[in-house]
Amino acid sequence: MTDSGPAPLPASDRPDTAARLRDALLAASFTADGLLDLLGAAAYAALARSETVPALRATRGDTPLETLVRLFLLQQPVPRARVADVLPVAEALEGGWLTPVGGDEVAATVDVRPYGGPGGEDWFIVSDLGCAVGGAGGIGQHDEGVVLGVGGASTTLAGITVRTPVAAALDLGTGSGIQALHAAQHATRVTATDLNPRALHTTALTLALSGAPAADLRAGSLFEPVRDDETFDLIVSNPPFVISPGARLTYRDGGMGGDDLCRSLVQQAGERLTEGGFAQFLANWQHVAGEDWQDRLRSWVPRGCDAWIVQREVQDVTQYAELWLRDAGDHRGDPAEYQARYDAWLDEFEARKVRAVGFGWITLRRTGSAEPVVTVEEWPHPVEQPLGETVRAHFDRLDYLREHDDAALLESHFRLAGEVVQEQVGLPGAEDPEHVVLRQHRGMRRATKVDTVGAGFAGVCDGTLSAGRILDAIAQLVGEDPVLLRDRTPAQIRLLVEQGFLEPVG
């Protein structure tokens, strides 16, 4: 980067050049698997932390793959003759992918990073030099228009997104284009928007170099570029959700007061969804003194939508300010300026009575039900990505439970979900456990306490007997009135179904 701002990007209107570059990259095994084989696990992981020294040491040879790693990932000048053995140099120079430096060397104008798709696809994510790793990690990049690559937030959103075939998908705030690239695999038409025109240009490069269909690219903030009559089956957004004083960095700062950007995004999404369509976002939200954070988020949910909101992390305001000050590299600058910026963040939070900031996932589904279900929960524990199918199944279960009253539930058949185990907790040698826990080893990896009836019920659910018949057998076994047991157990069955421990059969 130069002091004058981001460097010019390659031309995005030369699909033949992008196709030939892609063929050359693949021929040299410039892929996620190829990088791992070349660099080894330690150097490969270091690259994800923006640490390049191990990779530089591992690429001191002159193989085609080493040449490409030094050129596109490590941003090192490479002799033109050496690059000519791997890439169509003249075409890459003319198209702006490379630039001449020194006497006989060339350098990359953008970072090109291999990325493995969910089906084993070999994709390439384009971003500005020095900005390959997105999110908080000490990028230290102050240029307003830079486009970051794929970070933890990007891959989290890609992993939780429902991946069913759809006609139209919308990626709001596309950045380097990773969400649009995923959506292109299962959407007939992809629209990608961004306030930063440079991001739209970068998305076009990412799609072309990855061999994906072009997207409908539109400039503007949030839903501004979307026509009033347009609806989508899928809306995804990893927005600039950082709650900050001002909007210094476009890629992360929302520019609205507090968490208003995330709230606006969620509230406006409902009317843009087709019936049954999903909207999925990453977001930050304020924990305000005297206010229930869950109630705050429930107020965001638009009418006519089911919602599942999961808080994954909470930071106090000092931790939060420090995280994003380091993201911008402010901690490496003038101490007085750093202190002033830190003060500005805390002043902003104090004025809004904000005590902490939450981070998590928000999923909406447009529903025709007169009684939408809004679930807001805290789940900071490890999960198993990808979770797209888990998210879809969650909303399917909501439909099932809405359509079945207690009587219908007792007539239904269930099976225990796969990889659920039972844990009994109690003092050693005690005749009975203090409590029983059912634990999932897939998806959300939930754990829930159940009583002995609930544990016994779940243990024999294999789809053959109705819930009522199982409860009658349990009542006889424990000497309890079967009518009373039928009356009090449906609530527990509903919880086990809602959380995915039990699956309806038929």
Side-chain angles (χ1 to χ4, degrees), residues 37-48:
D37 289 341
L38 171 68
L39 302 178
Y44 187 80
L47 268 183

Side-chain angles (χ1 to χ4, degrees), residues 143-451:
D143 286 329
E144 173 67 16
V146 296
V147 179
L148 270 61
V150 176
S154 305
T155 54
T156 293
L157 179 59
I160 68 173
T161 299
V162 176
R163 301 293 176 193
T164 54
V166 295
L170 172 64
D171 176 16
L172 285 176
T174 186
S176 60
I178 179 60
Q179 309 306 330
L181 180 56
H182 276 278
Q185 310 309 303
H186 62 102
T188 303
R189 174 172 57 89
V190 177
T191 301
T193 73
D194 205 289
L195 182 63
N196 181 6
R198 187 176 181 86
L200 298 176
H201 191 144
T202 303
T203 291
L205 298 175
T206 290
L207 294 173
L209 199 59
S210 298
D216 179 5
L217 304 176
R218 305 181 193 177
S221 177
L222 301 181
F223 288 99
E224 287 176 1
V226 179
R227 297 192 308 271
D228 290 342
D229 61 344
E230 281 186 288
T231 56
F232 301 88
D233 308 296
L234 175 66
I235 300 172
V236 294
S237 183
N238 176 18
F241 53 67
V242 176
I243 301 170
S244 61
R248 187 161 58 112
L249 299 175
T250 302
Y251 70 83
R252 67 168 207 193
D253 299 327
M256 297 185 185
D259 52 17
D260 284 354
L261 182 137
C262 291
R263 176 185 56 78
S264 298
L265 184 62
V266 173
Q267 289 180 336
Q268 294 173 24
E271 62 186 6
R272 303 295 185 180
L273 287 173
T274 58
E275 189 68 26
F278 285 92
Q280 298 186 260
F281 315 105
L282 301 184
N284 273 173
W285 43 79
Q286 298 173 151
H287 286 231
V288 179
E291 176 184 277
D292 187 317
W293 69 270
Q294 294 186 335
D295 289 342
R296 182 181 190 85
L297 289 172
R298 288 189 184 95
S299 73
W300 291 9
V301 178
R303 297 182 63 181
C305 288
D306 292 326
W308 185 18
I309 302 173
V310 182
Q311 180 167 273
R312 294 287 290 156
E313 183 179 0
V314 181
Q315 291 182 313
D316 68 48
V317 292
T318 59
Q319 292 174 311
Y320 188 80
E322 290 162 14
L323 171 72
W324 294 108
L325 287 167
R326 282 176 168 77
D327 169 75
D330 292 319
H331 61 303
R332 294 195 291 266
D334 177 57
E337 185 175 343
Y338 174 78
Q339 181 176 339
R341 291 192 185 280
Y342 201 149
D343 272 332
W345 284 69
L346 297 186
D347 287 344
E348 179 81 5
F349 287 133
E350 186 175 334
R352 295 180 176 275
K353 299 182 180 179
V354 177
R355 299 293 181 261
V357 177
F359 166 81
W361 319 325
I362 298 177
T363 300
L364 308 177
R365 186 191 60 168
R366 190 78 186 176
T367 176
S369 172
E371 298 181 1
V373 176
V374 176
T375 302
V376 184
E377 63 176 319
E378 186 164 18
W379 190 253
H381 311 294
V383 299
E384 180 191 48
Q385 285 273 36
L387 277 169
E389 180 58 24
T390 298
V391 173
R392 186 200 60 76
H394 169 86
F395 288 92
D396 285 349
R397 292 193 297 270
L398 290 187
D399 285 340
Y400 176 86
L401 292 172
R402 255 195 301 249
E403 294 164 1
H404 290 72
D405 60 17
D406 287 355
L409 206 65
L410 292 174
E411 293 298 319
S412 301
H413 294 237
F414 302 95
R415 75 164 65 92
L416 189 66
E419 297 195 41
V420 173
V421 298
Q422 175 180 306
E423 300 173 358
Q424 296 188 170
V425 181
L427 294 173
E431 184 175 344
D432 296 312
E434 292 179 12
H435 59 263
V436 178
V437 174
L438 298 182
R439 188 179 301 278
Q440 301 168 348
H441 283 268
R442 305 297 302 273
M444 290 293 287
R445 294 179 174 168
R446 293 188 184 278
T448 188
K449 288 183 182 180
V450 293
D451 59 21

